[in-house]
Structures are given as C-alpha cells and as structure tokens.
Amino acid sequence: MSQQALLKISNLAKSYGSVVALRNANFSISPGEIHALLGANGAGKSTLVKILTGVISGDQGLIELNGREVAFSSPDNARKNGIAPVFQDPALIPDISIQRNLYLTDTDKDRFLFEISAMGLSVDLNQLASDIELPILRMIDLARALAHDPELLILDEITAALPIDMAEKVISIMGAHKARGKSVIFISHRLAEIEEICDRATVLRDGTNVDTFDATQGSEARIVAAMLGDKNVLATHSTKQKNKIATDDFMRVESLSGGKQLKDVSFTIKRGEVLGVAALEGQGQDLLFEILAGASKPTGGKLFVNGEEVTFHHPSDAISYGISYVPGDRKTALMPQRSIRENLALTRYRGMRRWGKINFGEEELKVDGAVQSLEIDTRAKSQVKRLSGGNQQKVTIGRWVTTGFDLLLCFDPTRGIDVGTKAQIYDLIRTFSDQGKSVLLFTSELREIQLSCDRAIVLYEGKVQANLPFEKCDEVSLLSAAHGIVSK
Amino acid sequence: MSNILKKVQSRFSVAMLSLWGILFSLFVVTGLVDHYFFTISSIGVTLQLAVPLGLLAAGQTICMLTGGIDLSIAMIATGAAFIVSIKSSSGLGLAILYATLYCILIGTINGLAVGLFGMNPLIMTLGMNAVLIGVFTVGITTFLKGSSTMPDIIIKLSSGSIIDPISWPFLLWIFFGGLIIFLLSKTGLGRLIYAVGDNATAARLAGVRVWKVQLAAYIICALLGGLAGLMIGGQSGAVAMSLADSLVLPSVAAVVIGGTSIMGGIGSYTGSIMGALILTVLSYLLATINSSEAVKQMIYGFIVLTLAWTYSKLTEKS
Amino acid sequence: MNLIKIKRQSWNIGIVIIALGLGTWQINRLPVFGSYEVRTILLGILPIALLSMGQAIIIIGGGINLAIGAEAVLINCLAARFMANKSFGVAIVLTLALLFVSVCVGALTGLIISRSKIADIIVTLATSFILIGFAMYIQPSPGGGMNLTLAHLISGKGSAFLPPLIVLILPLLIIWIPLYRSRMGIAMFAIGSNKDAAFLSGVNVDLTRIKLYATGGLFAGISGIVLTAITLSGSPFASISNTATLNSVAGAVLGGVALSGGVGGLTGPALAALILYFIPTILLNYGIDPAYSQIITGALTIVVVLAGGLIRNRGKKK
Amino acid sequence: SPADAAGTYKIGVSNSWAGNAWREEMVCAIKAEATLSGKVAKVTVLSRNTDSAGQSADVRSLITQGVNAIIINSGDTSANNPAIAEAVAAGIKVIAVDNSITAPNTTLVSNDQVAYGAVGATALAKAMNYKGNILYMRGASGAGADTDRDTGFRSVIAKYPNLHVTKEVFTGWDWTKGGQLANQLLAPGKFQGVWTSGIDYPVVQAMQTRLKGKYIPVVGADNNKFVGMTASLASKGFVGIIVPNPAIVGGAALKVAVDELDGKTVAAKNLLHPVALTYAHDKTLIDSLYFAAQDANFSSTISLPGYTTFNAAQLFRCRAPQDDPETTS
Ligand SMILES: Nc1ncnc2c1ncn2[C@@H]1O[C@H](COP(=O)(O)OP(=O)(O)OP(=O)(O)O)[C@@H](O)[C@H]1O
Ligand SMILES: Nc1ncnc2c1ncn2[C@@H]1O[C@H](COP(=O)(O)OP(=O)(O)OP(=O)(O)O)[C@@H](O)[C@H]1O
Ligand SMILES: [Mg+2]
Ligand SMILES: [Mg+2]
C-alpha cells in the first residue's frame, strides 16, 4: 500500500452556525480500495461526502486527488474529475422522466442502461422518477453514478433503504468496481456489510476521525468502541430474556388483503408479546402496518381487537383501540418546526373534545415522563428538526408513551440509527412488553429480530410465509423464508 | 444546555424587538414629516384604522399557520358588509345572523375543499373570490337589492372613540386579538393548527382529523374577515364592491412581515399585529408625504420588500 | 411507452376538447364567422395567453410571480411612451430593447428571491407595487402610441388574422421548445420538482431561478408589447395588472400546471386562455349577465383543478 | 308601455367596470331609455371589470354581434381606439359616455368634467371665504375624468392667493381608501375645506370622529348619502356642496345614439353642465334629490330634461326592450 493515495483529506472542517458538523477529518483512500466511513448519527459522514463532491464547501482543510490539491465547485465538477456519489438523500428529480434525469447529469444513456441490466433490472426511461419505488430508485441512482465509470464511487447509506437481495447486489457491484482497480467510499450503519466487503474503515466521532483499521472479521467490537467513545456503556446489546406472555390475544388479523400487495394475511398478537415481522423490501409490510394503524383501508379481511371486530377509517380509530403507529420515516411522523413538547403531546388533542384550553400542568407531567423514560436529549427542544436523528426517532416513540397504548406498531425504528441508540430502543421495546403491552416490530436487519422479539412472522409476496417461534428466529431461517423458501 | 435555550429565546426576541424597532422608527419618521401625527387623536385614528387590517391579518395568520391562505377574504368581508347594510332594515340582529351564516358557509366551502378534497388553497380561494364577485354583482340588482347603509351602531363600533386614543374598534380588536392569541397558544385547536401546518401527514398519523382543523381554520378566518368587513364599511360609511380590495394583499404582507411562514407551522398573531401596525403607520406616512402616486407606490413596495428582507435576515442570523 | 406519453398529454387533450367544444358553440351562435372573427378571438386571448405562458414557466420552476401583470403593464407603458411617432426601424430596435428590459426585470426579481430567501409570493407582491409605480411614472395617464406598421405586423389589421396567430405560436416554437429540450429547461423542472434533489444533481438552483424569472419576464414583455400593438396606448393602472396577474395564474393552472411545481407545459396555458375567453363571450350571446360568467369561470377553475388533482393522485397510487 | 313593439335598432354597451352602483345605474338608464324610445329592439350589455385588451375584445364582440351603435364607457382614453376604429369602419355609431375617448368619428355624451372641477372649486372658495387650506382628494391618477376635473379645479383656485391646496391625494374612487385617507388627514385645524372627486360622504363621516363634529365645507357629487347629509347636517353648520355627476348620463347617450341612427345631426360633444348646489340656496331641490330607500352611492339625479324621458320607477325597473316584462317588474 505504498503507492500514492487516490484521495487524501487533511484537517477538513465545516460548521453550520454554532453546530460543528465536521471538526477535523483526516483520511486517505488508495486506488482499488473499498474504504468504509463509519460513525454514529451526526458524526459528520454525509457532510464529508458533500464537501468531497462539491455540493458544499468546507470551512478549512485540504483535499488532494492523485496528489493534486482540488476543490470542486459542484457535483458536476467532481464527476468530471472521476468522483461520482450516490447521496444519502434521493437525488433523482421526481417529476421528470429518468431520461431527462440522466441528461441533467450528463449521463450516457447506453452506459446507464448497461449498468441497469447488469443489476438484473429493467427501467423504462420515459417513466417519471416519482412513479418508481424507492429501492429501484436507489439502484437507478447507483447505475447513474457507475455510468460515469468513476475512479472513486461514494455510497452514502445506500443500503439503508434496500432489501437484502438488492443490498447484496450493491456489495457485489462494489466488488466488481474494486476489481477494475477503482475505489469506493462506503457508508453504512450495518456493520455486517462492512466486514463483508471493506478493506479498511475510518471511524468518525463528533466530526473527527478517531480510528482507522483493517475491516477484518471480528472488528465489530472495535468499530463500536470507536464510534461511541465514552458512550460505550450501551454498546452491548441487551440480550433477550424470555418473559411471561399472557395467553390472551390482543389483536387478531384474519385473511387481511390490500390491493395487489397484501393477500390473505392472518396472525395474532398476544398481550405483552413482541411480534417481529421480517420481509424483503416490497412484500406488503408497509401496507400491513398502515392498515393496522388505520392509515390505509384494506380491501378484504377482518381485524379483531380483544375479540371484537373493528374497522378503522382513520388513524384516530386505531388509536382509540390502543393501537399506535411509529412510521419508518421520521419525516412523516414529526412536526419539524415545533418543540419536543408539542410533538410529544400532539395526540392528546386529536379529539374535538380536547380542542379547548390546555391543561398545562398535566401536559408537562406527561411530557416530562416521556422525555425521562426515553432519555431524550432536550438541548434543542424548541424545534425538533434541530435534534439529532436518534433523538428524533425517540420523539416519535415518546409521543405514544405520553398517551399510552396497548399495541405499538414499530416500522423499522432503527433505520439509520447508530448502535448506541439502537440498543436503547430495543430496551424500550422490552420495557413495554414487560408492562404487558404488545409490539409489532418490522425491522430490515434480520438479526435484530432475535434480539428483541418473542416470535416472528415472515412476509413474502404479500402472504405470511412463515410463523416462527423464538427459537427459530435465526438469520438463516428468516432469510430463507423471506426469499420464499418454505421452511418447516 | 442553557446555552442553546438562551439562543432560542434570544432568537425569538430579536425578531420581536426588530419589529418594535421598525414600528418605532416609522412612527418617528412619520411624526417628523407630519407634526399632526404626534397628537393623541392621530394616534387614536391610526390604531382605529389598523383594526380592519389587524382582523383580516388574524384570519390570514390562522390560515397561513395551517399552510394555507385565504384570498377570498376580500369578498367575504365585502359580502358580510353588504348583507348587514342591506338586511339591517329588517332588524340588526337578523342582519348579523345572516352575515354570520354567510361567513360560515363560505369558510365551510373553502375549508372542505382544502381539507377534504385537497384543493390548493391559493386556487380555491381565488376561484371562490371570483365566484363571489359574480354572485354579489348579480345580487345587488336582484336578491340583495336595497339601500346599503351601515347601521349606526356598527359605525359607532368601527369608528367611535371613547377617550382618545382609545376607540371602540380598538377595544374590539383587543378583545378578539386576545382571543386569537389565546386560541393559538393555549388551546388544543391552536396546537393542531400549528401541527397541521408543519406536517399534515404526521398530524394525521397521530390521530388528528386534519380536515376538521382546516375546516375550523377557514371558518374562523371567514368570521374574522366578515367582522373586518363590517369595520371597513363602518369606517368609511360606504359599502361597495371594492370594499376590502385594498386590504387583502396588505393582510398577507402584515402576516409575513410579522414572521409567520407562508408554508405554515411557525409564527404568531402577535407578529401579525405588529405587521398590521407597521403597514398602517406606513400608509399614514404615504398619505402625508407630498409626492406623486407613482412614487408612493414605489415606496410602499420597496418598504414592504425591505421589511420582509431585514426581518428574515435578522432571524436567520441568530 | 407511447401510453406514458399519451397519459402525460391527457391534460392538454382535455383542454383542447373543451376549447374546441366552446369554440364550435360560439361560432354556431355568430351571425357570420370569418377571418375577422378569428382575429377578434386571437386579439382577445393574445395578451393573457402570453402572460399565462410566462406565469406557467415560473410556476413549473416552483415559484409564482404576482408581479407578472405589473411587468406587462410597465413594458406597455414604456413601449407606448417611447414608440409613439417613431419610424418602423426605430420601433423595432426599441422593441428589442424593451424585451431586454423585461428580461432584466424578471432576472432581478429572481435574484432578489434567491438572495433574500423570502417566499416568491411576498417578493413579487412587493415588486408589483414598485413596477406599477414605475409605469405610472413613465406614463402618468393613458396615451402614447406605436408605429402603425409595427402594430399591424403584430396585431394584424381588419381581417388579417395571421399576424396575431404567429405572435401566439412563435414564442412557443422559438423559446419554449428549445428551452424544454435544453439542460436549462430540465433544470427548471428540477428545481420546481425537488430543489434539494436538483441541487444534488448539480443544478445551480439560484442561477436557474434567475433564468426562470427572466424567461417569465420575457413572456410578460412580449405580452406588454402586444398590448401596445392592440391598444396603441399605454395604461398605467394597478387594476389592470392585478386582473392580468390573477388571470395568468388561472390560465396556467387551468392549463395543467401544478402549483406545487415541476409539472406542466406551455401549450395548456395558451389553450386555457381560449376557454377563459369563450365563457363570457358565449354567455353574452345568450344575453346573460356577464357577472354569471365570472361565477362560471371561478367555479370552472376550481372544478378543473379539483378533478385534475384527483386524477393525478389516483395515477400516483398505482 | 305602448312603444315597446316597434323597435329595430340593436344597441351594444361596453362598460369596463362592473359591480359599481354608479355604473349599474348608468346601464339601467340606457336600458330604460331604450325601452321608452320605442326604436330599439335589443340592448346588449357587456359590462365587466376588465382591462383595455378585454374591453377591446368586447367591442369587437359587439361588432360581430351586428349592433347598430355602441355606447362605450371606456376604461382608457385611447386604448380602445383600434377596436373602435374597426366599429366605425363597419358603419357602427360609437358613442362614448362618461369617459371621453380620443378616437375620431365618435360622439361624446358626458358631464363637462372641466366645469365639474371648476364650479365645485368656485363654490368651495366662497364657502371658505376665499382663504385657508384645502384638502384636495382626487380620483384615480391618470384617468381622463380626473385630469379634466383637475384642470377646472386649478383654474379656479389659482385665482385666489389665500387659498392653498396643502394636501393632494388620490382616492382611486375607492370608498374604503377615501374614508381611510380622510381619517388620516383630517387633523383639527389642518384644513378649512375639502374638495372630493365624488368620494364624499366618508369624508363627512370622518369629520364626525376626527373633528368632533366641527364641520368644514366639502365638495361632493350627487351621491344619495351625501345629499342626505348635506340636508340633515346643515343645522349643525355643515356646508355640503353638491356638484351632480349624473349616472343617468347613460340615458342621454342612448338618446344621442338613437338620434344618430335616425339620421339626425348630432354634435360631436354633448356635455352636461353641472351647477353647484348648497343647502342654503337650493333647499327644495336638494330635499327632492334624496331617496331614503336608495343606496348610499346612488346617483340622485334621475332626470335630464331634453335627454331622458323615464321616471324614477322606470329607471329602477332597469328593463331593456327585449326583457320579458313579467320577470323584471
Ligand atoms: N444544513 C445543515 N444545517 C445545520 N446543521 C447541519 C446541516 N447539515 C448537517 N448538520 C449537522 O451536522 C452534523 C453532521 O451531520 P451529517 O449529516 O454529516 O451526519 P452523518 O454522520 O451523515 O449522520 P447520519 O448517520 O445520521 O447520516 C449533525 O449534527 C447535523 O445536525
Ligand atoms: N441544525 C441544528 N441546529 C441546532 N442544533 C443542532 C442542529 N443539529 C444538531 N444540533 C444539536 O447538536 C446535538 C448533537 O447532534 P448530532 O446530530 O451530532 O447528535 P448525535 O450525537 O449524533 O445523536 P444521535 O446518535 O441521536 O444522532 C443535537 O442534540 C442538537 O442539540
Ligand atoms: Mg444525527
Ligand atoms: Mg448522513
């Protein structure tokens, strides 16, 4: 590795007003290397990527490409110099066709189509981006970057929104890219992926690189330690301890169907049970959660709560039956410009009977209770958008702690959340179940099922493919069921 | 921790302070240009003239906090004034009842269209305004035929002074203004208005029936608009089709100058009150300076732009 | 593949059908229908069609220009003031110069919006006052004129309907189509559709917005020149600019441009102007009070946008 | 009435400003006079709020309709000229009412606006004892009538060195704005007289609040409420100067149009000559001009001898020859 670095970054810093996004970042990447960039939420990874690709400019620091100092003025500029990114946020324009999207970034159509077909996908170039599902869109974004045949490919949490099979594809694409002697910067919160493909890893903490090492098998502990620093106390996952589950059903779902996505889904959730839901992307789990939450209407089937048949016309109907929903996307769950307090207390005022004067004393009591039990960092409490991702996620759950619930529908609550906060959220879910409340938990990281659930169902093509007891919730069984392989 | 808290508080007061600063400097400039301005009676009349604008801005604030806007407020105000002035011959109570029903009706249509059918508020209320102009143009020669004279009691309530500079309309404004501030900051509905404007999807998932909140917002806005219409009609003594035309765009400007986001979810009526006062003093200033209409128009536009700009820069920096 | 393209044109197809239907109705009611009547229709829609097209461009790019009517009025006044009694050659040069001015006014508006980060609706509200003030300054009372040869070249004479037809279509051909196909055109759609994504795709958002408003300004400028050619006079009235602005928004929206940005084209708005023209004219033929046409136009705008929105959303949900 | 049957003329009306009491009355006067004339078959009214391009389109529509004469209250002195020229070329008689136009070969029927400004100013000067400060509240900047009235007003005021126009504002003929301006400007002692371009009674009302009932002379038009105030407040020392600007000038325009179509020679300019009325001199006339049941902005002059033949009831009925008598009574 004595050859000249492809890219070298020294003393890079960037602040947004009083928020230091990047303090002092240093690292280098060699040709033909896959380099992982790791760090807790808010560590500054995306900021670094944006500076590298000319989206924003750094406050100070040096970027050298092949030993030559560079500063890109725009993503376009960076692309022409062989750096192509796939950003964490979607970068395809929703209302224009894929073809025009390609034109906008000067991407060669044929090369793009070649990359797409290499992924085993097919795309109609006349389609509007908004008509395409998110995972495919992420792959299109990747293909667009690859079509420029960059010396350095930067992937910022591309796998977070991808189902397992596509994530695997991305891993192999990175491998192929490396095989051509080119480099990749790979950002992900899924440590397994890091170990699988990366050569080296750099860990950022509070905007500073704290550790760089070979990403070999078993480096997980080291990564976690570096990422969390002093907060390391939380690093070990609370191991699941079986607790007594009541025998009576809280909710029964009978042959539920919804459009083309859900067909004949039946299962039950007992009181005090944490039921896991595992599925690849797009197997109908989104719709299932929305229907149970009253946010979408089923096209068939029945729902029973405590043995009584119910129909939900609006989320508030579900809430009145004690069913609360934590959507996967924080953007659809929070009022970003309002305070933590208003966000937490919102559901209290949902009924017209509560439109009158607020009982501030009572409200404060409930809100403080939730803040304390979830350990929400209230430093930026006046506007939730100023909170870090993990704390925002806690607020979405905390809302239901203030109002109380019997069943919590948690859709991928740890997506894009750092390891420490993840552990906290799982602890919280355990506490709920200890209190006799039920949780339906979908997670895109299969091994988390084992860490937090009493039982799991696996969805495949809109049907319940498997109903696995705790003992069988190992990754292999879940994965094979998720791929439609019948397991007994 | 207290650091960030303090920053947030100072951010808020910087905004409010700058509004006070702007109002004060305009006040001084106006007084220097026209020495009659520094009399109790001139101040009283300025406060009185700010009332209709302030009421329109109140309605607009509520709509804008939910992420909407109400441009039909011009014809809501005009319509209410027409109804009261023409129907008052058959009893003031009845006339006010008709006007109230009219406001509720229009507010309901606007609110349902926006809330249930997802209409764009700008188009909905612009269209509604066009429809209402047509309806009343036809109306004054048919079903609303009659002598449109404002009842004396309304003239008194909209322009009568108690002791300078305190006038009846000003008291009315304090009452309704207090009510609006209370509604927005101390009630469940207020919370929902902010929530819906900030993120309607999130509010829905939290169990809020968003359309009901929007419906309530447009009805309240229409009622305030109707009240403003009566005030305008009472102050000039005349009811004409163009009654509220000259105040609609200023009502939007007042709300924005007062720091309410046109995208919804953030702002306050206190700010809009400041905005209304600033624009009223500005109009007094423009009335007193001796320059052509052309120059006045330019100054007005320039000052509104500068105010909005400074305000946004001031709040953005800290 | 073709299906997708047809689906995207469905709004235009709908508009064409409505316009053709109304047109046939109107023609059948006319005692005679010849080239004079065609020219009458074209002159009736030309200024507002051009203005709607300008507004459409801006709305597609995620903005809205409440000063577009004022821009047209300003150019109208400048043209009438400086082109009166000038030779054809000088008039042509002046026309080009004024179109350049209109582009600059638009660009300046875009620059202010980008720099100040204030909502478009507020900035253009303020600039509308400034521009009208300027127009009043240039042409204090209606008057002025235009070289007759040039005027006839633009608006035709007697029953020569080709010139106005060309003036209507030419901007579509030489400005819109090349623009739509260029990278800059895509960038305009991109910032209207999703500003952040556009930024990540390498679009210079501020610069694109400036170009957007400049192009909108160009259309407003053409509209102003056409207005001068039709009326041979400059009229500095705020009421004209307000009506024109509101009509331009209605035209753009009826023409299939989504107020949320990123969606639409210019053919629709041009055709929508035809619909907005036919409704009052047809009612007139039946001896119905034109106030009803205002009701119908307002209601139609609401209904079309409502239906369009519902259809669009249905398409989205798959 | 007996004359209804035999009419043949088709009259088109283009009005650029709708929903305004004065203009509505003007249109009604046209309709009423047309019905009474017995020579008109149909009155086609195109009255809406529109700009000059819109009004030009309306004129062209009327041409297409095959009308014999067009009565136009133009929003702009010259902007409709090309369309009007086309009408004239098509043999249609064009009569400008209220607002003058510069198009050749057209006839004007209107109040003499220069005289309107002058007689009001003369009466005001007298009421002010030829000294003091005047609040001069004009109409809309740039409008033809406003410019003419200004000419008349200034020609008179210039004659009196002790009269000063210390404040000049434009109301845009908007009642709300007029009331607001009056409230802002009428500080005690600041002015000794007010001239208004017809936005009159809000000024009187503002005096009640701002001047605590200490009235100064006001020049206004024949707006119903102003007429009423002139009468009722005379005992409290209010001097209201009424300079009529009759809306029924529309009826006069119709008569001129019919005369032209009949082939009679008609003057190119037919001006009404306004006189200033005060309660001290014209008590009975002013009392007869007040209609308690009518609108505040109703233009109180309801007959123009030599031009109009309708009575109040016929005017209020607002019926065109083609209207079905049952539905409009
Ligand atoms: N535009 C901005 N304005 C203000 N602060 C910002 C902005 N963008 C990022 N930050 C802040 O900078 C810090 C670093 O953010 P960044 O997005 O780089 O984190 P990250 O490591 O990518 O986190 P994640 O894993 O959640 O994606 C955070 O505290 C964030 O709140
Ligand atoms: N845009 C911002 N404006 C103001 N303060 C901010 C902003 N972004 C972050 N902060 C403050 O900085 C703190 C740290 O943010 P950061 O995103 O780095 O959190 P974090 O430690 O990564 O937490 P998590 O793991 O939960 O994401 C936040 O709690 C907040 O108080
Ligand atoms: Mg974070
Ligand atoms: Mg990131």
Side-chain angles (χ1 to χ4, degrees), chain A residues 213-228:
Chain A
F213 44 80
D214 287 347
T216 48
Q217 291 284 323
S219 55
E220 189 169 327
R222 186 169 173 185
I223 295 176
V224 172
M227 261 161 67
L228 296 180

Side-chain angles (χ1 to χ4, degrees), chain C residues 30-32 36-37 39-40 43-44 47 136 140-143 227 230-233 235 237 240 243 277 280-281 284-285 290, chain D residues 42 44-49 51-53 56-57 60-61 63-65 75-82 86 141-143 147:
Chain C
L30 286 178
V32 278
Y36 178 77
E37 282 68 28
R39 178 172 164 254
T40 298
L43 290 188
M136 288 167 87
S141 61
L227 203 59
I230 293 179
T231 62
L232 295 179
S233 152
S235 310
F237 297 120
I240 294 179
T243 318
Y277 170 83
T281 328
L284 159 84
N285 288 348
Chain D
K42 189 177 179 193
T44 305
V45 181
L46 202 43
S47 158
R48 56 173 181 153
N49 285 315
D51 57 12
S52 38
S56 292
R60 293 195 169 95
S61 285
I63 300 173
T64 304
Q65 289 286 304
D76 198 306
T77 44
S78 57
N80 295 307
N81 288 5
E86 285 166 24
S141 176
T147 317

Side-chain angles (χ1 to χ4, degrees), chain C:
Chain C
M1 171 169 161
N2 268 335
L3 212 69
I4 295 176
K5 279 189 175 162
I6 289 175
K7 206 183 118 204
R8 225 165 288 160
Q9 289 296 326
S10 58
W11 194 296
N12 279 349
I13 295 169
I15 290 279
V16 169
I17 291 171
I18 298 178
L20 275 182
L22 288 174
T24 333
W25 189 0
Q26 155 78 351
I27 289 162
N28 282 336
R29 298 281 309 179
L30 286 178
V32 278
F33 184 76
S35 43
Y36 178 77
E37 282 68 28
V38 174
R39 178 172 164 254
T40 298
I41 295 172
L42 284 170
L43 290 188
I45 67 163
L46 199 48
I48 195 62
L50 288 164
L51 219 51
S52 295
M53 284 147 83
Q55 188 70 276
I57 291 181
I58 292 170
I59 296 180
I60 287 172
I64 191 166
N65 190 350
L66 294 189
I68 200 162
E71 282 177 23
V73 167
L74 175 61
I75 297 299
N76 169 231
C77 288
L78 283 168
R81 162 86 185 268
F82 295 112
M83 279 193 206
N85 312 318
K86 292 278 162 36
S87 72
F88 181 73
V90 175
I92 288 283
V93 173
L94 279 173
T95 301
L96 294 177
L98 286 178
L99 290 182
F100 180 71
V101 169
S102 67
V103 168
C104 291
V105 169
L108 190 63
T109 312
L111 182 71
I112 294 174
I113 293 168
S114 295
R115 275 290 138 79
S116 67
K117 307 232 166 17
I118 310 170
D120 307 53
I121 196 168
I122 301 305
V123 171
T124 54
L125 180 69
T127 53
S128 72
F129 285 101
I130 300 175
L131 294 178
I132 278 295
F134 210 61
M136 288 167 87
Y137 180 77
I138 297 291
Q139 185 78 53
S141 61
M146 187 191 243
N147 177 286
L148 272 184
T149 321
L150 179 62
H152 292 153
L153 199 64
I154 294 172
S155 68
K157 188 182 178 187
S159 50
F161 68 85
L162 266 182
L165 188 63
I166 291 170
V167 173
L168 180 64
I169 293 175
L170 208 60
L172 272 176
L173 293 182
I174 64 169
I175 305 175
W176 177 241
I177 291 182
L179 182 68
Y180 180 85
R181 297 190 171 180
S182 71
R183 198 172 172 280
M184 177 187 150
I186 301 179
M188 284 180 180
F189 277 86
I191 66 168
S193 179
N194 183 336
K195 219 162 44 191
D196 297 332
F199 183 57
L200 293 179
S201 292
V203 174
N204 184 335
V205 176
D206 286 352
L207 189 65
T208 309
R209 191 188 286 111
I210 291 170
K211 289 179 184 169
L212 190 75
Y213 274 85
T215 318
L218 178 59
F219 274 87
I222 300 175
S223 177
I225 298 282
V226 166
L227 203 59
T228 321
I230 293 179
T231 62
L232 295 179
S233 152
S235 310
F237 297 120
S239 59
I240 294 179
S241 82
N242 289 339
T243 318
T245 301
L246 295 186
N247 284 337
S248 75
V249 176
V253 169
L254 265 182
V257 177
L259 267 185
S260 47
V263 179
L266 292 208
T267 339
L271 290 164
L274 211 53
I275 296 179
L276 292 176
Y277 170 83
F278 277 133
I279 292 172
T281 328
I282 288 176
L283 287 182
L284 159 84
N285 288 348
Y286 283 93
I288 297 170
D289 187 336
Y292 286 103
S293 74
Q294 192 145 18
I295 302 178
I296 293 176
T297 315
L300 183 84
T301 315
I302 294 173
V303 169
V304 167
V305 172
L306 187 67
L310 291 179
I311 291 166
R312 254 181 207 148
N313 284 344
R314 176 156 307 170
K316 279 275 156 59
K317 272 184 187 154
K318 281 164 283 188

Side-chain angles (χ1 to χ4, degrees), chain A residues 40-43 330 387-391 416 418:
Chain A
N41 297 123
R330 290 189 289 276
L387 296 178
S388 71
N391 280 305
D418 68 63

Side-chain angles (χ1 to χ4, degrees), chain B residues 132-218:
Chain B
L132 291 176
I133 291 175
V135 167
F136 278 92
T137 309
V138 174
I140 52 172
T141 57
T142 54
F143 62 89
L144 261 182
K145 212 174 162 121
S147 162
S148 62
T149 30
M150 271 290 166
D152 286 339
I153 174 87
I154 290 188
I155 293 186
K156 173 123 189 140
L157 277 178
S158 56
S159 59
S161 73
I162 304 165
I163 29 160
D164 270 335
I166 307 297
S167 57
W168 281 110
F170 187 61
L171 284 189
L172 221 68
W173 192 20
I174 290 181
F175 175 73
F176 282 103
L179 221 57
I180 297 297
I181 292 174
F182 177 80
L183 167 81
L184 287 178
S185 59
K186 300 267 190 292
T187 70
L189 178 58
R191 284 288 172 81
L192 298 185
I193 285 175
Y194 282 104
V196 164
D198 203 359
N199 188 345
T201 319
R204 176 166 181 269
L205 289 179
V208 178
R209 292 185 195 266
V210 172
W211 68 271
K212 284 190 187 170
V213 179
Q214 286 171 325
L215 180 61
Y218 282 90

Side-chain angles (χ1 to χ4, degrees), chain B residues 62-87:
Chain B
I62 293 176
C63 282
M64 272 163 69
L65 283 176
T66 65
I69 192 168
D70 190 350
L71 295 182
S72 65
I73 204 160
M75 281 312 295
I76 290 175
T78 308
F82 260 116
I83 291 172
V84 166
S85 66
I86 287 170
K87 294 288 175 197

